Amino acid sequence: MASFTFKKTVCFLIFFFNLLILSAQNKTDTVIMTNGEKKVGKVVSVSENAIKFTYQGEALEYELKKSGISKIEFASGRTEIITNTDIPSASASTATERKGRIAVLPFEFITNDSALNANAMAEQLQNDSYLSIKENTHGLQIQDPVTTNSILARNGIPYTSIKSKSPAEMAMLLGVENIVYGIANVTNKGTSSYGSGVSTYNGKETEKKEGNKEQTKSSGSIYNSNNATTIINYDTKISLNFYNDQGTNLYSESRNSFGTSFDAYHATINYLIKRCPFGSKVKN
């Protein structure tokens, strides 16, 4: 009888521990993204810039960038904050707050010149457009590019994914009424060389008497110098699109830059912005 009772106890303990293990395995982690999406599964590992994650009931591992994660709620009950999401969003900005505000997005930069850094040029063109809007428009409060890019980064939106949100969603995310999309298409057309050659004579004259006559003789050297300049020719086209927070396209224009210098786009951006609905070339 005692032996039977002991066996029952052992079986009960084995069942109990198996139940605990199964219960622990069924507990899940919840990853909350900066856009509010919840991913339920298991956090496999955490690195400096990303986590590895498996969805509940699946074995495939996914890598999630930390820039797009707000926090992780672990099965143990611990919560780890990953990204501070205290930023303007669709729920935090109202139409009144957005009124009269405008932001310029980083440009889409297209080129055949591998020497040009696309991300750096995307920000350069964005900043040039920001300065042009400040100078050549009226009735607008423009958001500086540092603030715009910070909001994009904290929402996990790289330059290459800007079009993943509609213009209305992007405007509300940035807390502005109007938003500017830009495209720069810059084609390297090859090089041209310009040079000039100059010849100079460095000589002297001497006089010598031969008999009763005086003769003048010249002697000297010829020096040649050449100055050559090589420049790269670019064909540049700038396109600008203005949208409001309702998704309405207010202005859409493109223009090829005059001249072949790399910085010819400055004048083109100014030309287009002056003629936008808020530009100085448009009558009030």
Side-chain angles (χ1 to χ4, degrees):
M1 184 67 178
S3 176
F4 177 73
T5 303
F6 175 75
K7 288 182 179 179
K8 284 182 63 178
T9 303
V10 171
C11 289
F12 174 77
L13 290 174
I14 293 174
F15 173 76
F16 179 73
F17 283 121
N18 284 337
L19 187 62
L20 287 178
I21 293 171
L22 183 62
S23 177
Q25 289 176 339
N26 287 336
K27 286 186 176 180
T28 58
D29 303 320
T30 302
V31 179
I32 301 176
M33 309 302 288
T34 54
N35 61 6
E37 179 187 358
K38 291 185 178 181
K39 299 180 183 292
V40 179
K42 191 68 178 176
V43 176
V44 178
S45 64
V46 180
S47 64
E48 183 179 356
N49 298 313
I51 70 168
K52 288 187 177 180
F53 176 83
T54 59
Y55 284 96
Q56 187 176 17
E58 298 181 10
L60 183 63
E61 288 188 5
Y62 292 86
E63 184 174 271
L64 304 178
K65 299 294 185 183
K66 281 187 173 180
S67 59
I69 300 173
S70 173
K71 62 183 178 179
I72 303 173
E73 296 176 350
F74 291 96
S76 64
R78 181 174 67 89
T79 298
E80 182 175 347
I81 303 298
I82 304 297
T83 302
N84 180 8
T85 55
D86 183 19
I87 56 176
S89 63
S91 60
S93 66
T94 64
T96 301
E97 292 170 335
R98 295 192 298 272
K99 185 69 175 178
R101 293 177 57 81
I102 189 170
V104 183
L105 292 169
F107 270 53
E108 180 180 352
F109 186 73
I110 304 168
T111 185
N112 66 337
D113 192 336
S114 59
L116 298 176
N117 185 303
N119 285 345
M121 286 306 305
E123 289 191 1
Q124 180 63 53
L125 290 155
Q126 175 194 26
N127 190 66
D128 288 345
S129 298
Y130 159 77
L131 294 174
S132 183
I133 288 174
K134 284 186 68 175
E135 182 178 351
N136 298 307
T137 64
H138 49 78
L140 292 175
Q141 181 182 353
I142 184 165
Q143 182 169 275
D144 68 274
V146 173
T147 299
T148 298
N149 295 347
S150 176
I151 294 173
L152 293 175
R154 286 188 286 173
N155 276 274
I157 305 175
Y159 299 165
T160 54
S161 299
I162 283 176
K163 292 181 179 179
S164 64
K165 289 188 176 294
S166 69
E169 291 172 329
M170 187 63 77
M172 288 189 286
L173 175 68
L174 297 176
V176 296
E177 182 182 15
N178 302 289
I179 194 161
V180 181
Y181 291 78
I183 301 174
N185 200 317
V186 180
T187 304
N188 184 330
K189 303 290 286 186
T191 60
S192 298
S193 295
Y194 301 89
S196 59
V198 178
S199 297
T200 59
Y201 178 77
N202 184 15
K204 59 182 179 179
E205 294 183 347
T206 60
E207 293 183 352
K208 183 179 179 181
K209 287 186 176 181
E210 292 187 2
N212 295 323
K213 296 182 179 180
E214 291 186 353
Q215 295 182 346
T216 300
K217 292 185 177 181
S218 298
S219 62
S221 303
I222 296 176
Y223 298 92
N224 294 310
S225 63
N226 291 287
N227 295 313
T229 301
T230 300
I231 63 170
I232 302 175
N233 299 305
Y234 290 97
D235 183 21
T236 303
K237 183 178 182 180
I238 300 294
S239 300
L240 292 181
N241 282 279
F242 285 61
Y243 288 86
N244 64 17
D245 55 4
Q246 302 301 309
T248 303
N249 183 264
L250 305 175
Y251 178 71
S252 181
E253 291 292 338
S254 298
R255 183 176 175 84
N256 289 314
S257 296
F258 180 76
T260 60
S261 64
F262 178 71
D263 59 358
Y265 65 83
H266 290 291
T268 310
I269 288 174
N270 288 335
Y271 177 91
L272 292 172
I273 287 177
K274 285 178 181 179
R275 288 158 178 79
C276 79
F278 315 101
S280 57
K281 291 291 185 180
V282 178
K283 293 183 179 180
N284 292 321

